[in-house]
Amino acid sequence: LSASGALFRLQKPLREESQIDFLLAIPAGTLDLSVTAAVHCSGRIVRSYWKHDQAFAAAVIDEYRFQ
């Protein structure tokens, strides 16, 4: 995970340029937060590949909002 993207380990690859939405949970006690926070992210797959019999997909985060 970075400020502009995320790398996912998957059971099967995703098609490049696919739109994705995901929710990132940040547990209480992390980043000086006293409660669990959630970040809703929207983005797109920019790279998809296999490595050592495991599928990976890299996504750029186009938008995010805290919930």
Side-chain angles (χ1 to χ4, degrees):
L1 183 66
S2 72
S4 62
L7 179 64
F8 297 95
R9 185 173 42 193
L10 307 164
Q11 293 180 352
K12 60 182 182 177
L14 297 174
R15 194 173 66 241
E16 290 184 13
E17 295 304 317
S18 297
Q19 298 294 315
I20 62 166
D21 289 303
F22 61 96
L23 190 65
L24 176 65
I26 304 170
T30 306
L31 305 174
D32 293 326
L33 298 173
S34 59
V35 296
T36 297
V39 183
H40 177 254
C41 302
S42 297
R44 58 195 149 73
I45 302 299
V46 293
R47 187 172 62 253
S48 187
Y49 61 94
W50 286 93
K51 183 175 181 180
H52 305 295
D53 296 326
Q54 181 72 58
F56 291 87
V60 63
I61 298 170
D62 294 318
E63 296 180 20
Y64 67 91
R65 69 178 183 278
F66 287 90
Q67 295 184 320

